[in-house]
Amino acid sequence: VVPYVDKITRVMKKTDLISKANISSNVLARMGREEPVSLESLGKICFLFGCKIDDILEIKSINEGGL
């Protein structure tokens, strides 16, 4: 699962995203490193932008370096 953190931060500054979505800077850093984050955090980002989870994530197959 790869979050589109670059796509998200083109729309809004990272500090604004952290504040408005009520997520920690660690969550955003983990997303940037393609590390696991909670569904709650992803839900907060989706709620802020009015989007679906697949708008901010890409699921890769095992052969592509995914799970």
Side-chain angles (χ1 to χ4, degrees):
V1 178
V2 181
Y4 291 124
V5 77
D6 291 337
K7 183 188 279 190
I8 296 167
T9 55
R10 276 188 242 142
V11 177
M12 181 179 292
K13 289 191 239 176
K14 290 180 182 182
T15 54
D16 291 339
L17 175 61
I18 289 166
S19 174
K20 291 180 180 186
N22 194 28
I23 59 173
S24 71
S25 59
N26 290 333
V27 168
L28 200 53
R30 285 194 306 266
M31 288 176 67
R33 293 188 304 262
E34 298 182 10
E35 295 177 356
V37 296
S38 72
L39 284 173
E40 180 182 4
S41 296
L42 295 172
K44 289 178 180 182
I45 293 169
C46 289
F47 183 76
L48 174 67
F49 288 108
C51 65
K52 297 179 287 180
I53 201 156
D54 62 339
D55 292 330
I56 63 168
L57 292 179
E58 174 187 5
I59 298 176
K60 291 186 174 184
S61 71
I62 294 171
N63 296 334
E64 296 178 278
L67 298 173

